[in-house]
């Protein structure tokens, strides 16, 4: 993985912020990655957060072992089971799928 897909990720995150704007009470985005995100990239993503979303939207980057390779796409299942009682809706997307309200 390299960071060439970041523009797509930014579009996806913008779309999730649209959920805040339309009235969602809580939007938590978890990114599973095998490469650590540079602090400057995390700062950039945080700087794009809309003021209306500050208390509603959260973004968490979880670093996984590079040995997962193609199995990285399975990591969301464990998280969904852990948080099953905390949310009404779970969405799994990759960086090229945009979700709109």
């Amino acid at each position: 993985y390299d960071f060439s897909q970041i523009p797509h990720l930014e579009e996806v995150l913008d779309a999730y912020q649209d959920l805040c704007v339309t009235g969602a009470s809580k939007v938590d985005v978890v990114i599973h990655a095998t490469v650590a995100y540079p602090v400057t990239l995390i700062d950039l993503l945080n700087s794009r957060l809309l003021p209306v979303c500050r208390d509603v939207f959260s973004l968490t980057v979880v670093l996984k072992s590079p040995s997962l390779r193609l199995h990285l796409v399975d990591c969301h299942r464990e998280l969904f089971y852990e948080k099953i009682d905390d949310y009404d809706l779970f969405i799994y997307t990759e960086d090229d799928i945009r979700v709109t309200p």
Side-chain angles (χ1 to χ4, degrees):
Y1 179 84
D2 60 26
F3 292 104
S4 65
Q5 297 295 321
I6 292 301
H8 302 291
L9 175 61
E10 288 177 317
E11 284 188 42
V12 170
L13 293 176
D14 287 348
Y16 281 121
Q17 284 192 83
D18 290 345
L19 296 173
C20 298
V21 174
T22 59
S25 61
K26 184 176 186 181
V27 177
D28 293 328
V29 176
V30 178
I31 299 172
H32 292 108
T34 58
V35 176
Y37 278 42
V39 172
T40 54
L41 177 56
I42 293 170
D43 288 344
L44 172 68
L45 295 174
N46 283 330
S47 72
R48 295 174 55 95
L49 188 60
L50 299 172
V52 69
C53 296
R54 296 230 186 263
D55 295 328
V56 177
F57 186 91
S58 74
L59 175 64
T60 305
V61 179
V62 178
L63 193 58
K64 297 289 188 174
S65 170
S67 66
L68 282 176
R69 299 177 39 115
L70 296 176
H71 298 287
L72 185 65
V73 299
D74 297 326
C75 293
H76 70 281
R77 293 180 180 153
E78 181 181 337
L79 178 65
F80 285 10
Y81 286 122
E82 286 174 13
K83 303 290 185 175
I84 193 76
D85 294 326
D86 298 340
Y87 299 93
D88 295 325
L89 176 66
F90 293 87
I91 300 173
Y92 166 81
T93 60
E94 295 190 19
D95 62 5
D96 59 349
I97 301 172
R98 188 177 171 109
V99 175
T100 57

